[in-house]
């Protein structure tokens, strides 16, 4: 270690000495060198000035060049994408409070002021970075984005720096947050850790948040807060040049609205391979403070068009949508999400294109109506699919008793069949309408090991709109209880008790709830809030989730923990 000290001290003098008195080329001070040497001799990652996550002798020559751009303090990476500049990166620092566009932007001590200037300094096709100072506010948008990164391993990044726990804020007035259009493909881009809001928007404006309307690939949006646009996120390829490999992770996507047009939290069309993971999608598609922006049937938290493929919606909080929590017209995977106060929580399928997919392991609570004259309160809708799976979902405590509020509805017709459907290990608790098979378009459904419990509504556990679908269901090992009536099942206009149903529907080994109980079926979102020492308010958990960022992330306000809490309570104790 002593040898290393003297060796690097000599190298420092030889490398820096000739320029110490030169104003033309700034150099590290002796104090900065001694600080670096201390980090180096202690194998401290803060000596890593070539940013390769390894402390090595090569960091000395990198320090001589990059001394004014110290490595970012180590951050917890659990659940977050690990991003670091490469040796080829140009890093541009931007501060609205401390910057000047006459600076070169190449260090935290010489930031530029405007995002527009920073963008001009990025090199197309290179792994360059813009770092926005946390806690600062800009009254400008991101530019019309025409640049790409170098590769998947060396992307172009818009991120942050600084010690504040507040995201950089971009207040975009009446205009969009960012748009990418044109003929050139945009690829290898990362947008991380900032806030976008149209703070001067009126009812006459309809700006988008982040919009890719072109061929694009390998896009990451993570830890951003995007709120108040007509469409907060939009990904559109075209028929010849599709979009692909999109990842939207741990963002807060809220409060989209529009007057006289449709509005979505996220909209995607002609996209292949999209992951929506651990986000909060809340209150998108409507604004109760603007006349004409009331909830409609056309506006959703997540709207995936039939032209997409390879869509996965994993471990999100999806709440308070105008209409659908997630409309998966393309089919795909919907797993581990917490749905709350949506008019229709999940739609899987399309009326014109056969699709497939899986709706597994979600908790769906407290359905609602869209508005007066638009009753909904629906759980899972399946239409025009082949080989779809609905497994291990918990659908409980509906918030409306409207006549259309089915927990699971199979919607097919003679032209658009639902075929080879598996529904197993789901629990439906006090939802109102339970399992409804509409029309005649069902062929070969397996319905097994489900629990349907309703102590409040006297609605059938299973209802067939027509008797012609009875032979298309293979049902066994299900558990039923409907309070206040013995008419637990319905086919067309006839009602049946359990013994009659066994003969009519040829169901095998059904069980009643006699002698059985749930572990704790008093669990509600109010109880969950109280367990976190919060007030007894059924909205406060979602409200807290909306405030999270990487700096303040709390697993208690994630879908994973909420789903775990309810599933533990609503499993059978015996």
């Amino acid at each position: 270690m002593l040898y290393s000290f003297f060796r690097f001290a000599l190298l420092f003098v030889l490398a820096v000495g000739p320029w110490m008195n030169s104003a033309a080329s700034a150099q590290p001070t002796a104090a900065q060198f001694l600080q670096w040497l201390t980090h180096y001799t202690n194998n401290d990652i803060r000596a890593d000035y070539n940013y390769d996550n390894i402390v090595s002798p090569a960091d000395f020559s990198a320090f001589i060049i990059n001394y004014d751009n110290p490595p970012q303090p180590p951050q917890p990476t659990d659940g977050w994408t690990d991003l670091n500049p490469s040796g080829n990166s140009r890093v541009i620092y931007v501060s609205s409070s401390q910057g000047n566009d006459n600076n070169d932007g190449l260090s935290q001590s010489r930031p530029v002021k405007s995002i527009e200037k920073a963008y001009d300094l990025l090199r197309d096709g290179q792994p360059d970075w813009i770092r926005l100072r946390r806690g600062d506010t800009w009254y400008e948008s991101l530019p019309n984005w025409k640049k790409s990164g170098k590769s998947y391993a060396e992307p172009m990044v818009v991120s942050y720096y600084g010690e504040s726990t507040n995201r950089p804020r971009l207040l975009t007035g009446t205009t969009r947050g960012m748009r990418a259009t044109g003929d050139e493909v945009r690829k290898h881009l990362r947008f991380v850790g900032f806030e976008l809001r149209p703070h001067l928007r009126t009812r006459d404006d309809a700006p988008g948040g982040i919009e890719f309307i072109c061929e694009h690939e390998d896009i990451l949006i993570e830890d951003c807060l995007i709120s108040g646009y007509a469409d907060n996120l939009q990904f559109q390829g075209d028929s010849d040049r599709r979009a692909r490999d999109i990842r939207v992770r741990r963002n807060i996507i809220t409060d989209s609205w529009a007057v006289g047009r449709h509005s979505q939290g996220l909209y995607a069309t002609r996209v292949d391979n999209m992951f929506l993971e651990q986000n909060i999608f809340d209150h998108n598609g409507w604004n109760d403070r603007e006349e004409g922006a009331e909830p409609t049937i056309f506006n959703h938290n997540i709207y995936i068009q039939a032209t997409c493929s390879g869509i996965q919606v994993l471990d999100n909080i999806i709440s308070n949508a105008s209409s659908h929590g997630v409309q998966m017209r393309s089919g795909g995977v919907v797993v581990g999400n917490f749905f709350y106060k949506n008019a229709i929580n999940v739609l899987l399928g399309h009326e014109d294109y056969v699709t497939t997919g899986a709706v597994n392991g979600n908790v769906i609570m407290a359905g609602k109506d869209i508005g007066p004259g638009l009753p909904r309160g629906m759980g899972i809708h399946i239409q025009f699919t082949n080989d779809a799976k609905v497994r291990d979902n918990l659908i409980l405590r509906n918030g409306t008793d409207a006549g259309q509020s089915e927990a699971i509805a199979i919607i097919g017709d003679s032209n658009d069949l639902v075929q080879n459907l598996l529904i197993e290990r789901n629990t439906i608790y006090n939802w109102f309408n339970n399992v409804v098979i509409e029309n005649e378009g069902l062929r070969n459904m397996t319905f097994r090991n489900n629990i349907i419990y309703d102590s409040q509504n006297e609605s059938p556990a299973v209802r067939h709109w027509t008797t012609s679908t009875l032979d298309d269901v293979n049902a066994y090992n299900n558990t039923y209880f409907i309070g206040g009536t013995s008419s637990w099942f319905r086919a067309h206009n006839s009602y049946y008790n359990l013994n009659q149903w066994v003969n009519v529907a040829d169901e095998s080994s059904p069980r009643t709830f006699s002698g059985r109980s749930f572990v704790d079926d008093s669990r509600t979102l109010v109880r969950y809030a109280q367990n976190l020492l919060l007030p007894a308010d059924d909205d406060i958990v979602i409200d807290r989730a909306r405030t999270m960022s990487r700096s303040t992330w709390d697993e208690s306000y994630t879908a994973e923990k909420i789903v775990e809490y309810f599933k533990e309570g609503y499993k059978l104790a015996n």
Side-chain angles (χ1 to χ4, degrees), residues 324 344 346-351 378 380-385 404 406 408-414 416-419 421 436-442 465:
H324 288 67
I344 303 173
V346 182
L347 170 67
L348 182 72
H350 191 276
E351 63 269 22
M378 301 171 181
I380 300 171
H381 276 195
I382 306 296
Q383 65 180 86
F384 201 7
T385 58
Q404 297 188 42
E406 304 102 338
I408 300 176
I410 296 93
I411 309 169
D413 60 39
S414 56
D416 304 321
L417 297 175
V418 174
Q419 301 181 76
L421 175 64
V436 179
I437 301 167
E438 300 184 11
N439 306 320
E440 300 178 353
L442 175 67
W465 278 20

Side-chain angles (χ1 to χ4, degrees), residues 207-228:
I210 291 180
E211 302 175 318
F212 284 88
I213 308 176
C214 59
E215 183 182 7
H216 52 285
E217 67 173 282
D218 182 24
I219 309 296
L220 170 71
I221 299 176
E222 182 172 289
D223 188 31
C224 290
L225 189 159
I226 305 172
S227 183

